[in-house]
mmCIF file with all atom_site columns, all heavy atoms in Angstrom:
data_model
loop_
_atom_site.group_PDB
_atom_site.id
_atom_site.type_symbol
_atom_site.label_atom_id
_atom_site.label_alt_id
_atom_site.label_comp_id
_atom_site.label_asym_id
_atom_site.label_entity_id
_atom_site.label_seq_id
_atom_site.pdbx_PDB_ins_code
_atom_site.Cartn_x
_atom_site.Cartn_y
_atom_site.Cartn_z
_atom_site.occupancy
_atom_site.B_iso_or_equiv
_atom_site.pdbx_formal_charge
_atom_site.auth_seq_id
_atom_site.auth_comp_id
_atom_site.auth_asym_id
_atom_site.auth_atom_id
_atom_site.pdbx_PDB_model_num
ATOM 1   N N   . GLY B 1 91  ? -37.000 27.712 36.100 1.00 0.00 ? 91  GLY B N   1
ATOM 2   C CA  . GLY B 1 91  ? -36.683 26.271 36.247 1.00 0.00 ? 91  GLY B CA  1
ATOM 3   C C   . GLY B 1 91  ? -37.018 25.442 35.050 1.00 0.00 ? 91  GLY B C   1
ATOM 4   O O   . GLY B 1 91  ? -36.255 24.484 34.639 1.00 0.00 ? 91  GLY B O   1
ATOM 5   N N   . VAL B 1 92  ? -38.114 25.829 34.355 1.00 0.00 ? 92  VAL B N   1
ATOM 6   C CA  . VAL B 1 92  ? -38.520 25.021 33.130 1.00 0.00 ? 92  VAL B CA  1
ATOM 7   C C   . VAL B 1 92  ? -37.374 25.214 32.044 1.00 0.00 ? 92  VAL B C   1
ATOM 8   O O   . VAL B 1 92  ? -37.014 24.254 31.379 1.00 0.00 ? 92  VAL B O   1
ATOM 9   C CB  . VAL B 1 92  ? -39.839 25.503 32.611 1.00 0.00 ? 92  VAL B CB  1
ATOM 10  C CG1 . VAL B 1 92  ? -40.180 24.724 31.352 1.00 0.00 ? 92  VAL B CG1 1
ATOM 11  C CG2 . VAL B 1 92  ? -40.994 25.323 33.677 1.00 0.00 ? 92  VAL B CG2 1
ATOM 12  N N   . SER B 1 93  ? -36.825 26.399 31.962 1.00 0.00 ? 93  SER B N   1
ATOM 13  C CA  . SER B 1 93  ? -35.816 26.655 31.037 1.00 0.00 ? 93  SER B CA  1
ATOM 14  C C   . SER B 1 93  ? -34.469 25.772 31.361 1.00 0.00 ? 93  SER B C   1
ATOM 15  O O   . SER B 1 93  ? -33.929 25.165 30.478 1.00 0.00 ? 93  SER B O   1
ATOM 16  C CB  . SER B 1 93  ? -35.369 28.130 31.056 1.00 0.00 ? 93  SER B CB  1
ATOM 17  O OG  . SER B 1 93  ? -34.228 28.368 30.260 1.00 0.00 ? 93  SER B OG  1
ATOM 18  N N   . TYR B 1 94  ? -34.194 25.622 32.584 1.00 0.00 ? 94  TYR B N   1
ATOM 19  C CA  . TYR B 1 94  ? -33.079 24.822 33.093 1.00 0.00 ? 94  TYR B CA  1
ATOM 20  C C   . TYR B 1 94  ? -33.369 23.353 32.753 1.00 0.00 ? 94  TYR B C   1
ATOM 21  O O   . TYR B 1 94  ? -32.500 22.678 32.306 1.00 0.00 ? 94  TYR B O   1
ATOM 22  C CB  . TYR B 1 94  ? -32.842 25.008 34.528 1.00 0.00 ? 94  TYR B CB  1
ATOM 23  C CG  . TYR B 1 94  ? -31.982 26.172 34.947 1.00 0.00 ? 94  TYR B CG  1
ATOM 24  C CD1 . TYR B 1 94  ? -32.399 27.522 34.773 1.00 0.00 ? 94  TYR B CD1 1
ATOM 25  C CD2 . TYR B 1 94  ? -30.692 25.960 35.450 1.00 0.00 ? 94  TYR B CD2 1
ATOM 26  C CE1 . TYR B 1 94  ? -31.631 28.566 35.080 1.00 0.00 ? 94  TYR B CE1 1
ATOM 27  C CE2 . TYR B 1 94  ? -29.866 27.058 35.757 1.00 0.00 ? 94  TYR B CE2 1
ATOM 28  C CZ  . TYR B 1 94  ? -30.309 28.330 35.598 1.00 0.00 ? 94  TYR B CZ  1
ATOM 29  O OH  . TYR B 1 94  ? -29.581 29.461 36.027 1.00 0.00 ? 94  TYR B OH  1
ATOM 30  N N   . LEU B 1 95  ? -34.620 22.884 33.014 1.00 0.00 ? 95  LEU B N   1
ATOM 31  C CA  . LEU B 1 95  ? -34.909 21.508 32.719 1.00 0.00 ? 95  LEU B CA  1
ATOM 32  C C   . LEU B 1 95  ? -34.862 21.194 31.297 1.00 0.00 ? 95  LEU B C   1
ATOM 33  O O   . LEU B 1 95  ? -34.398 20.185 30.877 1.00 0.00 ? 95  LEU B O   1
ATOM 34  C CB  . LEU B 1 95  ? -36.423 21.317 33.273 1.00 0.00 ? 95  LEU B CB  1
ATOM 35  C CG  . LEU B 1 95  ? -36.640 21.117 34.719 1.00 0.00 ? 95  LEU B CG  1
ATOM 36  C CD1 . LEU B 1 95  ? -38.074 21.508 35.077 1.00 0.00 ? 95  LEU B CD1 1
ATOM 37  C CD2 . LEU B 1 95  ? -36.311 19.690 35.157 1.00 0.00 ? 95  LEU B CD2 1
ATOM 38  N N   . ALA B 1 96  ? -35.351 22.190 30.436 1.00 0.00 ? 96  ALA B N   1
ATOM 39  C CA  . ALA B 1 96  ? -35.308 21.978 28.929 1.00 0.00 ? 96  ALA B CA  1
ATOM 40  C C   . ALA B 1 96  ? -33.782 21.937 28.525 1.00 0.00 ? 96  ALA B C   1
ATOM 41  O O   . ALA B 1 96  ? -33.411 21.119 27.724 1.00 0.00 ? 96  ALA B O   1
ATOM 42  C CB  . ALA B 1 96  ? -35.998 23.074 28.249 1.00 0.00 ? 96  ALA B CB  1
ATOM 43  N N   . GLY B 1 97  ? -32.999 22.949 29.126 1.00 0.00 ? 97  GLY B N   1
ATOM 44  C CA  . GLY B 1 97  ? -31.595 22.912 28.750 1.00 0.00 ? 97  GLY B CA  1
ATOM 45  C C   . GLY B 1 97  ? -30.885 21.684 29.119 1.00 0.00 ? 97  GLY B C   1
ATOM 46  O O   . GLY B 1 97  ? -30.003 21.204 28.355 1.00 0.00 ? 97  GLY B O   1
ATOM 47  N N   . ALA B 1 98  ? -31.152 21.208 30.335 1.00 0.00 ? 98  ALA B N   1
ATOM 48  C CA  . ALA B 1 98  ? -30.432 19.949 30.823 1.00 0.00 ? 98  ALA B CA  1
ATOM 49  C C   . ALA B 1 98  ? -31.111 18.744 30.257 1.00 0.00 ? 98  ALA B C   1
ATOM 50  O O   . ALA B 1 98  ? -30.620 17.574 30.676 1.00 0.00 ? 98  ALA B O   1
ATOM 51  C CB  . ALA B 1 98  ? -30.426 19.942 32.334 1.00 0.00 ? 98  ALA B CB  1
ATOM 52  N N   . GLU B 1 99  ? -32.167 18.826 29.511 1.00 0.00 ? 99  GLU B N   1
ATOM 53  C CA  . GLU B 1 99  ? -32.876 17.718 29.010 1.00 0.00 ? 99  GLU B CA  1
ATOM 54  C C   . GLU B 1 99  ? -33.462 16.776 29.988 1.00 0.00 ? 99  GLU B C   1
ATOM 55  O O   . GLU B 1 99  ? -33.105 15.551 29.889 1.00 0.00 ? 99  GLU B O   1
ATOM 56  C CB  . GLU B 1 99  ? -32.022 17.005 27.892 1.00 0.00 ? 99  GLU B CB  1
ATOM 57  C CG  . GLU B 1 99  ? -31.657 17.898 26.677 1.00 0.00 ? 99  GLU B CG  1
ATOM 58  C CD  . GLU B 1 99  ? -31.045 17.066 25.561 1.00 0.00 ? 99  GLU B CD  1
ATOM 59  O OE1 . GLU B 1 99  ? -31.781 16.560 24.770 1.00 0.00 ? 99  GLU B OE1 1
ATOM 60  O OE2 . GLU B 1 99  ? -29.755 17.022 25.573 1.00 0.00 ? 99  GLU B OE2 1
ATOM 61  N N   . LEU B 1 100 ? -34.063 17.289 30.984 1.00 0.00 ? 100 LEU B N   1
ATOM 62  C CA  . LEU B 1 100 ? -34.721 16.427 31.981 1.00 0.00 ? 100 LEU B CA  1
ATOM 63  C C   . LEU B 1 100 ? -36.182 16.257 31.852 1.00 0.00 ? 100 LEU B C   1
ATOM 64  O O   . LEU B 1 100 ? -36.889 17.226 31.615 1.00 0.00 ? 100 LEU B O   1
ATOM 65  C CB  . LEU B 1 100 ? -34.382 17.064 33.334 1.00 0.00 ? 100 LEU B CB  1
ATOM 66  C CG  . LEU B 1 100 ? -32.900 17.178 33.701 1.00 0.00 ? 100 LEU B CG  1
ATOM 67  C CD1 . LEU B 1 100 ? -32.684 17.931 35.012 1.00 0.00 ? 100 LEU B CD1 1
ATOM 68  C CD2 . LEU B 1 100 ? -32.212 15.695 33.669 1.00 0.00 ? 100 LEU B CD2 1
ATOM 69  N N   . PRO B 1 101 ? -36.673 14.988 31.892 1.00 0.00 ? 101 PRO B N   1
ATOM 70  C CA  . PRO B 1 101 ? -38.071 14.795 31.655 1.00 0.00 ? 101 PRO B CA  1
ATOM 71  C C   . PRO B 1 101 ? -38.864 14.947 33.009 1.00 0.00 ? 101 PRO B C   1
ATOM 72  O O   . PRO B 1 101 ? -38.453 14.638 34.123 1.00 0.00 ? 101 PRO B O   1
ATOM 73  C CB  . PRO B 1 101 ? -38.116 13.205 31.321 1.00 0.00 ? 101 PRO B CB  1
ATOM 74  C CG  . PRO B 1 101 ? -36.861 12.715 31.923 1.00 0.00 ? 101 PRO B CG  1
ATOM 75  C CD  . PRO B 1 101 ? -35.887 13.798 32.101 1.00 0.00 ? 101 PRO B CD  1
ATOM 76  N N   . CYS B 1 102 ? -40.070 15.553 32.866 1.00 0.00 ? 102 CYS B N   1
ATOM 77  C CA  . CYS B 1 102 ? -40.908 15.773 34.087 1.00 0.00 ? 102 CYS B CA  1
ATOM 78  C C   . CYS B 1 102 ? -42.260 16.226 33.512 1.00 0.00 ? 102 CYS B C   1
ATOM 79  O O   . CYS B 1 102 ? -42.423 16.481 32.348 1.00 0.00 ? 102 CYS B O   1
ATOM 80  C CB  . CYS B 1 102 ? -40.336 16.911 34.950 1.00 0.00 ? 102 CYS B CB  1
ATOM 81  S SG  . CYS B 1 102 ? -40.238 18.406 34.191 1.00 0.00 ? 102 CYS B SG  1
ATOM 82  N N   . LEU B 1 103 ? -43.226 16.220 34.408 1.00 0.00 ? 103 LEU B N   1
ATOM 83  C CA  . LEU B 1 103 ? -44.543 16.560 34.085 1.00 0.00 ? 103 LEU B CA  1
ATOM 84  C C   . LEU B 1 103 ? -45.037 17.711 34.831 1.00 0.00 ? 103 LEU B C   1
ATOM 85  O O   . LEU B 1 103 ? -44.937 17.802 36.071 1.00 0.00 ? 103 LEU B O   1
ATOM 86  C CB  . LEU B 1 103 ? -45.584 15.402 34.340 1.00 0.00 ? 103 LEU B CB  1
ATOM 87  C CG  . LEU B 1 103 ? -47.052 15.657 33.944 1.00 0.00 ? 103 LEU B CG  1
ATOM 88  C CD1 . LEU B 1 103 ? -47.220 15.786 32.439 1.00 0.00 ? 103 LEU B CD1 1
ATOM 89  C CD2 . LEU B 1 103 ? -47.950 14.459 34.508 1.00 0.00 ? 103 LEU B CD2 1
ATOM 90  N N   . LEU B 1 104 ? -45.629 18.737 34.092 1.00 0.00 ? 104 LEU B N   1
ATOM 91  C CA  . LEU B 1 104 ? -46.039 19.952 34.709 1.00 0.00 ? 104 LEU B CA  1
ATOM 92  C C   . LEU B 1 104 ? -47.556 20.123 34.365 1.00 0.00 ? 104 LEU B C   1
ATOM 93  O O   . LEU B 1 104 ? -48.017 19.559 33.324 1.00 0.00 ? 104 LEU B O   1
ATOM 94  C CB  . LEU B 1 104 ? -45.474 21.248 34.125 1.00 0.00 ? 104 LEU B CB  1
ATOM 95  C CG  . LEU B 1 104 ? -43.926 21.122 33.859 1.00 0.00 ? 104 LEU B CG  1
ATOM 96  C CD1 . LEU B 1 104 ? -43.474 22.312 33.023 1.00 0.00 ? 104 LEU B CD1 1
ATOM 97  C CD2 . LEU B 1 104 ? -43.184 21.170 35.169 1.00 0.00 ? 104 LEU B CD2 1
ATOM 98  N N   . VAL B 1 105 ? -48.347 20.635 35.309 1.00 0.00 ? 105 VAL B N   1
ATOM 99  C CA  . VAL B 1 105 ? -49.806 20.875 35.009 1.00 0.00 ? 105 VAL B CA  1
ATOM 100 C C   . VAL B 1 105 ? -50.145 22.315 35.309 1.00 0.00 ? 105 VAL B C   1
ATOM 101 O O   . VAL B 1 105 ? -49.774 22.784 36.404 1.00 0.00 ? 105 VAL B O   1
ATOM 102 C CB  . VAL B 1 105 ? -50.619 19.935 35.931 1.00 0.00 ? 105 VAL B CB  1
ATOM 103 C CG1 . VAL B 1 105 ? -52.126 20.204 35.668 1.00 0.00 ? 105 VAL B CG1 1
ATOM 104 C CG2 . VAL B 1 105 ? -50.322 18.465 35.763 1.00 0.00 ? 105 VAL B CG2 1
ATOM 105 N N   . ASN B 1 106 ? -50.738 23.017 34.401 1.00 0.00 ? 106 ASN B N   1
ATOM 106 C CA  . ASN B 1 106 ? -51.133 24.411 34.680 1.00 0.00 ? 106 ASN B CA  1
ATOM 107 C C   . ASN B 1 106 ? -52.657 24.471 34.426 1.00 0.00 ? 106 ASN B C   1
ATOM 108 O O   . ASN B 1 106 ? -53.163 24.235 33.292 1.00 0.00 ? 106 ASN B O   1
ATOM 109 C CB  . ASN B 1 106 ? -50.460 25.338 33.530 1.00 0.00 ? 106 ASN B CB  1
ATOM 110 C CG  . ASN B 1 106 ? -50.829 26.821 33.846 1.00 0.00 ? 106 ASN B CG  1
ATOM 111 O OD1 . ASN B 1 106 ? -51.604 27.098 34.733 1.00 0.00 ? 106 ASN B OD1 1
ATOM 112 N ND2 . ASN B 1 106 ? -50.359 27.691 32.957 1.00 0.00 ? 106 ASN B ND2 1
ATOM 113 N N   . VAL B 1 107 ? -53.378 24.632 35.522 1.00 0.00 ? 107 VAL B N   1
ATOM 114 C CA  . VAL B 1 107 ? -54.781 24.866 35.476 1.00 0.00 ? 107 VAL B CA  1
ATOM 115 C C   . VAL B 1 107 ? -54.986 26.378 35.465 1.00 0.00 ? 107 VAL B C   1
ATOM 116 O O   . VAL B 1 107 ? -55.044 27.053 36.381 1.00 0.00 ? 107 VAL B O   1
ATOM 117 C CB  . VAL B 1 107 ? -55.527 24.262 36.726 1.00 0.00 ? 107 VAL B CB  1
ATOM 118 C CG1 . VAL B 1 107 ? -56.973 24.374 36.694 1.00 0.00 ? 107 VAL B CG1 1
ATOM 119 C CG2 . VAL B 1 107 ? -55.099 22.796 36.863 1.00 0.00 ? 107 VAL B CG2 1
ATOM 120 N N   . VAL B 1 108 ? -55.110 26.807 34.170 1.00 0.00 ? 108 VAL B N   1
ATOM 121 C CA  . VAL B 1 108 ? -55.008 28.272 33.900 1.00 0.00 ? 108 VAL B CA  1
ATOM 122 C C   . VAL B 1 108 ? -56.157 29.066 34.417 1.00 0.00 ? 108 VAL B C   1
ATOM 123 O O   . VAL B 1 108 ? -57.295 28.657 34.364 1.00 0.00 ? 108 VAL B O   1
ATOM 124 C CB  . VAL B 1 108 ? -54.891 28.474 32.327 1.00 0.00 ? 108 VAL B CB  1
ATOM 125 C CG1 . VAL B 1 108 ? -54.679 29.930 32.034 1.00 0.00 ? 108 VAL B CG1 1
ATOM 126 C CG2 . VAL B 1 108 ? -53.738 27.637 31.723 1.00 0.00 ? 108 VAL B CG2 1
ATOM 127 N N   . ARG B 1 109 ? -55.870 30.247 35.006 1.00 0.00 ? 109 ARG B N   1
ATOM 128 C CA  . ARG B 1 109 ? -56.760 31.157 35.433 1.00 0.00 ? 109 ARG B CA  1
ATOM 129 C C   . ARG B 1 109 ? -56.528 32.510 34.760 1.00 0.00 ? 109 ARG B C   1
ATOM 130 O O   . ARG B 1 109 ? -55.476 32.758 34.103 1.00 0.00 ? 109 ARG B O   1
ATOM 131 C CB  . ARG B 1 109 ? -56.771 31.338 36.923 1.00 0.00 ? 109 ARG B CB  1
ATOM 132 C CG  . ARG B 1 109 ? -55.365 31.962 37.450 1.00 0.00 ? 109 ARG B CG  1
ATOM 133 C CD  . ARG B 1 109 ? -55.350 31.774 38.967 1.00 0.00 ? 109 ARG B CD  1
ATOM 134 N NE  . ARG B 1 109 ? -55.100 33.127 39.628 1.00 0.00 ? 109 ARG B NE  1
ATOM 135 C CZ  . ARG B 1 109 ? -54.864 33.233 40.919 1.00 0.00 ? 109 ARG B CZ  1
ATOM 136 N NH1 . ARG B 1 109 ? -54.891 32.172 41.678 1.00 0.00 ? 109 ARG B NH1 1
ATOM 137 N NH2 . ARG B 1 109 ? -54.726 34.454 41.398 1.00 0.00 ? 109 ARG B NH2 1
ATOM 138 N N   . GLY B 1 110 ? -57.459 33.456 34.921 1.00 0.00 ? 110 GLY B N   1
ATOM 139 C CA  . GLY B 1 110 ? -57.428 34.757 34.243 1.00 0.00 ? 110 GLY B CA  1
ATOM 140 C C   . GLY B 1 110 ? -56.250 35.578 34.740 1.00 0.00 ? 110 GLY B C   1
ATOM 141 O O   . GLY B 1 110 ? -56.011 35.734 35.992 1.00 0.00 ? 110 GLY B O   1
ATOM 142 N N   . GLY B 1 111 ? -55.530 36.327 33.838 1.00 0.00 ? 111 GLY B N   1
ATOM 143 C CA  . GLY B 1 111 ? -54.554 37.239 34.192 1.00 0.00 ? 111 GLY B CA  1
ATOM 144 C C   . GLY B 1 111 ? -54.775 38.545 33.557 1.00 0.00 ? 111 GLY B C   1
ATOM 145 O O   . GLY B 1 111 ? -55.876 38.804 33.086 1.00 0.00 ? 111 GLY B O   1
ATOM 146 N N   . PRO B 1 112 ? -53.782 39.391 33.416 1.00 0.00 ? 112 PRO B N   1
ATOM 147 C CA  . PRO B 1 112 ? -52.363 39.313 33.938 1.00 0.00 ? 112 PRO B CA  1
ATOM 148 C C   . PRO B 1 112 ? -52.321 39.584 35.458 1.00 0.00 ? 112 PRO B C   1
ATOM 149 O O   . PRO B 1 112 ? -53.319 39.985 36.022 1.00 0.00 ? 112 PRO B O   1
ATOM 150 C CB  . PRO B 1 112 ? -51.606 40.226 33.097 1.00 0.00 ? 112 PRO B CB  1
ATOM 151 C CG  . PRO B 1 112 ? -52.635 41.344 32.763 1.00 0.00 ? 112 PRO B CG  1
ATOM 152 C CD  . PRO B 1 112 ? -53.889 40.625 32.614 1.00 0.00 ? 112 PRO B CD  1
ATOM 153 N N   . GLY B 1 113 ? -51.096 39.431 35.985 1.00 0.00 ? 113 GLY B N   1
ATOM 154 C CA  . GLY B 1 113 ? -50.917 39.701 37.406 1.00 0.00 ? 113 GLY B CA  1
ATOM 155 C C   . GLY B 1 113 ? -51.620 38.650 38.231 1.00 0.00 ? 113 GLY B C   1
ATOM 156 O O   . GLY B 1 113 ? -51.724 37.476 37.901 1.00 0.00 ? 113 GLY B O   1
#
Side-chain angles (χ1 to χ4, degrees):
Chain B
V92 178
S93 173
Y94 276 69
L95 284 155
E99 297 189 86
L100 296 176
C102 61
L103 181 67
L104 321 168
V105 181
N106 184 0
V107 182
V108 181
R109 64 189 238 185

